[in-house]
Amino acid sequence: MGRRMVAAVVAVVLAGGGVAGCGTFSTRDDRQRAVEVAERVAPGVLEVVDTRSLFPQDGGAEVSFRIKGDADAVVRLRVNAEKDDCGGRSCDDRLTAALAEARREADGFRALRREFRACGYEVHGLSADGTGPWISAPLGPDTAQRVVASVGECLDRWSRARGDTAPAHLAVKVAAPDVLDRLPDDAGRPTLMRLTAGERLAALGRGTYHRVVFRAGPDGVDRDSGEVHLVQPFAERQRFAAAVRAAAERWLRTEAGSPEAVAGEYVGVWKLLPGRVDRVGGWVLYCERPEGERPRCVGRHALAVAVGLDGTLAAEPEVFRGVRDADGPLGLPAEEDGAPSYAWVRG
């Protein structure tokens, strides 16, 4: 691209910005309008702590306030000064509702934090999808039982403190202690702004972590229902899958008397074995030999396997033959058909 063409492109972009209005690239007017609204609705109560442009998805900006005297609450208001609009409603009404909601959320968070601190855990993050708080604990073979029991106690305490009907399942995400060293330095912002920030949640979930899930009902949390789920990043899942397939194929060829066997898909709901955080169970499909004009394996048979976190076999696999006819649907056996409980794909 020549120099004149580059200059022309830049001129067009700048002209487009001028046509669209300065608000497209600047949040100054939106921030000022939000401050004016705050002084009308709650004079002397709110202080701006952040302004985020909504361009290009939307016009205007999201302005975040702290509530003076409340270190936890954050009030968010979407403002488009150019259109004199706050999400299709009066800005005063929108901020009044946002302020009330922020106070309710802060009270709810303080109840959560109080009950978890009573169990010995600090809350380090709150997922935006509502899947529960993040805590940190050394979740290993020697500590898993204790951690799961204490998480169940925390969830039960929190469920009762909420005073409403708890969801059918409650979950806590558990990060390794060393993850805390890479959390962003975001001190000074309202607690709920810090704990829900994308940068913090990304840091907490960057590596492998665990979700501890309990069933809940009108009488509280079922303390005996705790399950630990391993959550791996994509690259780690790919590496694990390749290691499992390789281990299964070696076993088939050397131990099961199928020297031409090839492992196919790595399928099923893979999960930690009951009571373990260092053993994972699931299914590997295989064929006694590649099939078809372009040899491939659609998975005639299946292995129920238990493996370590590195993908190596931790126990003798169980063989289930004829789980698929031709290219038809897959029919993995259920628990009543002899499949081990850790490999049972629950409907």
Side-chain angles (χ1 to χ4, degrees):
M1 185 181 289
R3 189 172 300 174
R4 288 184 179 179
M5 187 173 291
V6 171
V9 170
V10 171
V12 169
V13 170
L14 292 177
V19 171
C22 296
T24 302
F25 300 105
S26 170
T27 60
R28 181 180 58 190
D29 292 345
D30 301 312
R31 177 189 174 109
Q32 181 58 40
R33 181 61 55 85
V35 169
E36 292 170 0
V37 173
E39 282 305 302
R40 283 201 305 271
V41 171
V45 173
L46 301 177
E47 177 185 345
V48 174
V49 290
D50 187 61
T51 307
R52 178 176 65 89
S53 173
L54 299 176
F55 179 83
Q57 289 81 11
D58 200 355
E62 181 181 81
V63 180
S64 298
F65 300 88
R66 73 168 77 251
I67 300 176
K68 293 181 180 178
D70 187 332
D72 300 318
V74 57
V75 181
R76 293 184 172 92
L77 179 68
R78 291 194 166 202
V79 181
N80 191 325
E82 191 173 2
K83 294 183 178 181
D84 193 20
D85 176 70
C86 287
R89 285 175 56 187
S90 155
C91 289
D92 288 24
D93 291 346
R94 183 71 74 178
L95 183 58
T96 299
L99 179 58
E101 178 65 16
R103 285 173 166 149
R104 283 194 298 271
E105 289 181 349
D107 288 341
F109 166 70
R110 283 187 277 267
L112 168 70
R113 181 175 58 191
R114 180 181 65 248
E115 302 308 333
F116 272 74
R117 281 180 173 173
C119 299
Y121 295 111
E122 193 65 37
V123 176
H124 297 290
L126 291 169
S127 296
D129 59 4
T131 53
W134 282 88
I135 63 171
S136 176
L139 199 58
D142 298 329
T143 61
Q145 187 174 1
R146 174 181 57 79
V147 170
V148 171
S150 61
V151 166
E153 179 188 353
C154 290
L155 288 173
D156 191 40
R157 292 176 62 104
W158 177 43
S159 174
R160 296 178 186 280
R162 286 160 54 109
D164 57 6
T165 302
H169 294 85
L170 292 172
V172 172
K173 296 180 181 180
V174 184
D178 60 1
V179 170
L180 302 184
D181 295 335
R182 61 174 183 251
L183 294 183
D185 182 10
D186 48 11
R189 291 190 164 194
T191 309
L192 284 175
M193 189 174 188
R194 291 190 300 105
L195 298 191
T196 58
E199 185 180 359
R200 170 175 285 259
L201 297 179
L204 286 165
R206 187 166 296 141
T208 296
Y209 64 89
H210 297 86
R211 288 182 69 240
V212 182
V213 184
F214 282 82
R215 292 192 301 272
D219 297 326
V221 170
D222 179 355
R223 298 285 195 93
D224 297 324
S225 67
E227 284 192 357
V228 182
H229 300 268
L230 186 69
V231 184
Q232 298 171 307
F234 178 76
E236 183 64 18
R237 290 200 309 270
Q238 294 295 96
R239 183 208 63 76
F240 177 74
V244 170
R245 283 196 299 267
E249 201 166 85
R250 282 193 301 271
W251 182 85
L252 286 164
R253 292 177 176 181
T254 60
E255 304 294 332
S258 298
E260 298 180 72
V262 289
E265 299 176 68
Y266 149 96
V267 300
V269 180
W270 281 72
K271 61 181 185 179
L272 293 164
L273 271 60
R276 302 293 295 263
V277 292
D278 57 346
R279 295 287 185 271
V280 185
W283 294 99
V284 175
L285 302 183
Y286 77 96
C287 302
E288 292 181 333
R289 61 188 58 81
E291 304 168 351
E293 294 180 5
R294 291 189 298 174
R296 64 192 184 100
C297 174
V298 297
R300 303 285 182 202
H301 316 295
L303 289 181
V305 301
V307 299
L309 298 183
D310 60 357
T312 58
L313 296 178
E316 189 85 354
E318 295 186 45
V319 177
F320 293 86
R321 299 181 62 81
V323 298
R324 193 199 305 268
D325 293 326
D327 291 330
L330 180 64
L332 291 173
E335 198 168 27
E336 57 266 27
D337 298 323
S341 61
Y342 62 76
W344 183 25
V345 181
R346 301 176 185 268

